[in-house]
Amino acid sequence: MQTERRTRLDPKERRAQLVALGVAFLAEHPVESLSIEYLSATAGVSRALLFHYFGSKTGMQREIVREARDSMLRATESGPGLDPQERIHATLSLIVDFVREHRGTFYSLVRGVASGAPEVREVIEEARAVQADRVIAAFIELGYADTPLLRAALRSWVAFTEDLLVRIAVETETPSSQIVTFLERSAQAVVSVVDDLASDSVQPRAPAPGVSG
């Protein structure tokens, strides 16, 4: 009788396998419920091996969230050769498509991670910064001034976008085209308000009543 032999993986392959299993877990569960015990049992390896690769439960969760985040960022990066307006549209379309195809994972990333360890939350904050910088760069190319208010407003718009995507793209079947159009127009509205305020601030002030020129 032959005994089934477990395939031996080199350290890099084993680590990648463990991370992939963790990312798959995010599709159905929040990251904080992912334990060393669950992942070791699923992979058929010892708990000690997971501690060897990740150092701690938090380290394991951080690396799994990082891999899921990087996959999302790669999938939502628009291709080269697009003008700024086309790039904004393409980026938003890709984001909506990603959310629709990976609803559970997206929900776990933007909602589940919020209650996790600071090191894990930091990974998602980095993703928000990347997404914001993509949109900021496009609007600057369109001729809008690069100001602290513009950057703060669009970073806040990214947080608004995440919440809307959870409520609409994840939880309803609203047509993707409508979501993309709404997000495009909302970003443009935010930038237009910032631009109007900047224009107002450089207008000469009217003299105070009773003051002659």
Side-chain angles (χ1 to χ4, degrees):
M1 179 178 178
Q2 284 189 322
T3 302
E4 184 180 353
R5 299 181 64 183
R6 182 178 302 161
T7 302
R8 293 184 62 85
L9 302 176
D10 66 35
K12 185 177 180 179
E13 291 172 331
R14 178 64 73 189
R15 190 178 189 281
Q17 178 208 34
L18 294 169
V19 171
L21 288 171
V23 171
F25 180 90
L26 293 183
E28 301 291 340
H29 311 279
V31 66
E32 67 264 23
S33 64
L34 178 58
S35 66
I36 292 283
E37 291 75 16
Y38 171 87
L39 194 56
S40 64
T42 303
V45 299
S46 68
R47 295 173 71 254
L49 188 63
L50 269 76
F51 282 108
H52 169 73
Y53 284 128
F54 304 113
S56 65
K57 176 183 176 180
T58 297
M60 174 192 71
Q61 292 176 344
R62 182 181 62 243
E63 292 308 305
I64 287 165
V65 169
R66 179 178 286 120
E67 177 59 30
R69 175 205 69 185
D70 290 348
S71 295
M72 177 177 68
L73 290 176
R74 288 192 297 269
T76 57
E77 185 173 14
S78 61
L82 300 177
D83 67 39
Q85 198 67 58
E86 291 172 334
R87 203 161 69 243
I88 292 170
H89 179 82
T91 297
L92 292 173
S93 297
L94 290 168
I95 290 171
V96 173
D97 288 345
F98 179 90
V99 173
R100 282 274 158 86
E101 293 171 14
H102 308 279
R103 299 185 191 214
T105 301
F106 182 79
Y107 187 92
S108 292
L109 287 176
V110 303
R111 288 287 176 85
V113 170
S115 59
E119 299 95 320
V120 180
R121 295 200 302 271
E122 182 181 355
V123 174
I124 296 304
E125 286 301 322
E126 291 169 357
R128 291 178 179 129
V130 170
Q131 297 286 29
D133 287 345
R134 289 174 176 175
V135 178
I136 290 166
F139 276 108
I140 291 172
E141 287 182 47
L142 287 169
Y144 292 94
D146 183 2
T147 64
L149 182 56
L150 177 77
R151 290 181 173 271
L154 285 175
R155 287 180 186 274
S156 298
W157 173 83
V158 167
F160 160 80
T161 296
E162 284 183 359
D163 189 61
L164 181 121
L165 288 171
V166 168
R167 295 175 184 274
I168 303 299
V170 173
E171 298 177 355
T172 78
E173 296 302 325
T174 301
S176 295
S177 60
Q178 289 185 15
I179 301 173
V180 172
T181 298
F182 176 81
L183 291 174
E184 279 187 284
R185 292 180 181 178
S186 65
Q188 182 63 61
V190 167
V191 173
S192 294
V193 170
V194 172
D195 193 53
D196 289 345
L197 289 173
S199 298
D200 291 344
S201 69
V202 297
Q203 295 296 321
R205 294 185 178 181
V211 177
S212 61

